[in-house]
Amino acid sequence: MTTLMIQGTTSDAGKSTVVAGLCRVLQRRGFSVAPFKPQNMALNSAVTIDGGEIGRSTALQAQAAGVMPHSDMNPVLLKPETDRGAQVILRGKVHGHMDALDYHAFKRTAQESVMAAWQALSQRHEVIIAEGAGSPAEINLRKGDIANMGFAEAVDCPVLLVGDIDRGGVFAQLVGTLALLSDSEQARTKGFIINRFRGDIGLLEPGLEWLTARTRKPVLGTLPYLPGLLLDAEDSIGTVQAEKQRDTLNVIVPALPRISNHTDFDALRLHPQVSLSFIGPDQPIPAADVIILPGSKSTASDLAWLKRQGWEAAIARHLRYGGKVLGICGGFQMLGEWVDDPEGLEGAAGRVAGLGWLALSTRMAPAKQLRNVHGVLAGSQVPVSGYEIHHGVSEGKALERPLFDLGGHFDGAISEDGQVLGTYLHGLFDHPDACQALLERLGLASASRIDYTAHREQALERLADTLEAHLDIEAILALLAPVGGAR
């Protein structure tokens, strides 16, 4: 077993993408490889084969490695509920709710989970490609660090540092980050990767030579900017959209403060007949064919935000003129009559009025539903698959008209007039048949059939090809010796 860690100079430097690409490169070369992210803070998550919950980007990396996602791959997941507090997931299961100071004191316990998960994963795979979080040079977070160099020091693994040249200042990013590390941390940093380069590499080469001379660390490659690469995002809402046909279904989504699993919309961004826009705070709410209320980690507070932003009146007007509304998970709960959180599982305890478009009420329960599901669109043979991640338990007359038949149980609801739909199912547009049928229900005549899962595979292959062409893979394999030397 051997471990290599990819760290970045900033958030969104490209760590997740590089790890996914390396996992696919090694998988294609016959290695048993797995991704590992010691600590992650994200509201995009996935259900694992062992019934746990991990960050969605780590699940994508598992797909790149050709293995099923497992809770050992992301032992600490922090799901922000407020600006100062988060739900803490340890090895796939809810541990509790903590504010930032309490979690800082909790890190020693969290580190035990990290090391136990890493050791368990190491027993099952030859190579672990670990991913850092944010930057290793956050001075205020260095004490008790388990996300970056603290983990690398604990397991004694080499580190590669990624910098994003598209943001500008990449040499300052790399040199400055290295300067803020301890001597031992600098020594285990074995080289740099420059990400998202556009232009003539000849103009960059003098800078690369200076960087190597200044730091005595090699640049192991410069990765080009990859336009149109659509992969599951860690945090930020992606902007990549496929080229659209003239006749499109216009879909708008409120960008809730605690929006979760916005990767649900990646398949729609890819669809040639769908124009999808996220509407942020204080932006005008445009006319549309469909409004989709997304998932939320803090349903009651995001519902209050939705009302303050004018969405309640906008939805009423939208439905009056024949538009369609779909709610997913937290958005589904908002469409009901009440949301009750007596124990404060997602924020302040209390009961709040929903938007009232579906005859159901939701109560937050301590036991979290975590499951991958398969079934059909209710009343049809159209296959659907997805996953559930929620505390809410919904009851009411609206559930007598379900949206999905999942074999062992029914899910979701459809209003009597068919204009309002809701479901707990994430990933509902990823299956090509389900996506086509759902878009037709939402008003798109003769919807094209697209296969988002196949697109994701093609994107991973494109990414791996790019790494093979632009990184010194042999030097990276040497860091993995003796495993690398054995091939």
Side-chain angles (χ1 to χ4, degrees):
M1 185 283 307
T2 188
T3 299
L4 171 66
M5 193 171 200
I6 306 299
Q7 297 184 15
T9 56
T10 63
S11 293
D12 200 32
K15 300 182 292 292
S16 297
T17 303
V18 170
V19 169
L22 285 176
C23 282
R24 179 52 60 94
V25 167
L26 293 171
Q27 186 265 346
R28 294 197 307 198
R29 293 187 179 212
F31 291 101
S32 171
V33 58
F36 184 76
K37 184 147 186 169
Q39 175 185 293
N40 193 3
M41 179 176 284
L43 289 176
N44 288 340
S45 57
V47 178
T48 62
I49 190 173
D50 58 320
E53 182 180 3
I54 63 173
R56 186 128 201 96
S57 63
T58 306
L60 173 75
Q61 293 161 358
Q63 179 179 341
V67 296
M68 296 299 293
H70 193 282
S71 58
D72 285 340
M73 296 174 181
N74 178 199
V76 180
L77 174 61
L78 307 177
K79 304 190 78 172
E81 296 170 325
T82 68
D83 289 344
R84 297 186 179 184
Q87 183 181 66
V88 179
I89 312 290
L90 289 186
R91 297 189 78 176
K93 302 298 182 183
V94 176
H95 179 81
H97 305 261
M98 298 184 190
D99 63 27
L101 288 177
D102 288 340
Y103 178 72
H104 194 66
F106 178 74
K107 279 186 177 179
R108 183 179 296 275
T109 301
Q111 184 178 30
E112 294 173 0
S113 290
V114 167
M115 296 305 295
W118 173 75
Q119 289 167 354
L121 200 63
S122 299
Q123 292 174 3
R124 304 195 295 269
H125 298 280
E126 294 175 277
V127 180
I128 307 296
I129 304 296
E131 178 187 351
S135 163
E138 302 291 350
I139 302 303
N140 56 312
L141 300 177
R142 294 294 300 279
K143 184 178 180 180
D145 170 57
I146 60 174
N148 290 295
M149 285 298 180
F151 169 77
E153 295 265 89
V155 304
D156 191 24
C157 73
V159 172
L160 296 179
L161 190 60
V162 179
D164 178 7
I165 196 171
D166 198 48
R167 296 182 177 197
V170 73
F171 298 111
Q173 292 176 35
L174 295 167
V175 174
T177 298
L178 197 65
L180 292 174
L181 302 179
S182 70
D183 290 345
S184 63
E185 292 166 350
Q186 290 184 19
R188 72 175 60 259
T189 303
K190 301 302 183 181
F192 306 118
I193 296 173
I194 293 179
N195 192 31
R196 300 190 183 114
F197 176 72
R198 317 186 203 211
D200 187 336
I201 192 68
L203 297 176
L204 184 63
E205 285 173 350
L208 303 182
E209 294 169 359
W210 174 90
L211 181 62
T212 298
R214 173 65 181 258
T215 65
R216 298 183 181 179
K217 309 281 185 187
V219 178
L220 296 182
T222 299
L223 298 176
Y225 184 89
L226 293 176
L229 185 72
L230 179 59
L231 290 170
D232 303 50
E234 181 79 278
D235 299 305
S236 58
I237 295 175
T239 57
V240 174
Q241 293 228 29
E243 186 175 340
K244 304 302 175 185
Q245 299 175 2
R246 289 186 61 186
D247 296 326
T248 60
L249 188 74
N250 289 311
V251 178
I252 59 173
V253 181
L256 303 174
R258 300 296 168 193
I259 186 172
S260 66
N261 290 73
H262 57 68
T263 49
D264 289 338
F265 303 104
D266 287 350
L268 298 186
R269 280 201 287 261
L270 181 68
H271 201 286
Q273 295 168 280
V274 176
S275 176
L276 185 140
S277 301
F278 286 92
I279 310 302
D282 302 321
Q283 290 183 335
I285 302 171
D289 301 308
V290 180
I291 295 174
I292 302 182
L293 302 185
S296 167
K297 187 64 191 75
S298 300
T299 302
S301 63
D302 276 356
L303 175 58
W305 177 90
L306 204 71
K307 293 177 179 179
R308 289 195 304 270
Q309 291 287 317
W311 282 90
E312 189 170 25
I315 291 171
R317 183 173 60 251
H318 172 79
L319 290 171
R320 191 164 60 246
Y321 285 98
K324 300 288 183 70
V325 174
L326 170 65
I328 301 174
C329 200
F332 174 37
Q333 296 167 355
M334 293 178 192
L335 289 171
E337 296 168 341
W338 296 97
V339 176
D340 189 11
D341 190 359
E343 299 182 42
L345 296 172
E346 291 191 354
R351 188 172 188 243
V352 298
L355 298 172
W357 293 106
L358 290 172
L360 60 87
S361 294
T362 299
R363 187 178 188 274
M364 300 300 173
K368 197 173 193 179
Q369 297 294 324
L370 293 167
R371 53 191 171 196
N372 292 302
V373 296
H374 303 272
V376 295
L377 197 63
S380 77
Q381 295 301 311
V382 176
V384 66
S385 59
Y387 56 100
E388 295 181 43
I389 302 178
H390 58 91
H391 281 288
V393 177
S394 298
E395 297 179 338
K397 189 175 179 60
L399 302 179
E400 296 174 4
R401 295 172 54 88
L403 183 57
F404 298 118
D405 180 350
L406 301 178
H409 71 286
F410 291 97
D411 170 84
I414 306 171
S415 64
E416 291 186 6
D417 61 9
Q419 283 186 263
V420 182
L421 302 84
T423 177
Y424 273 115
L425 207 59
H426 292 291
L428 68 166
F429 293 110
D430 289 3
H431 193 290
D433 295 330
C435 182
Q436 182 181 35
L438 285 168
L439 288 177
E440 289 179 354
R441 283 203 179 195
L442 292 172
L444 181 60
S446 302
S448 300
R449 187 179 186 276
I450 64 161
D451 190 336
Y452 182 66
T453 301
H455 168 84
R456 189 188 280 124
E457 270 297 311
Q458 292 167 3
L460 287 171
E461 286 293 305
R462 176 189 177 195
L463 178 61
D465 288 344
T466 301
L467 266 61
E468 291 270 19
H470 295 276
L471 291 188
D472 188 344
I473 298 297
E474 296 307 315
I476 292 173
L477 288 176
L479 295 175
L480 297 174
V483 174
R487 298 300 168 107

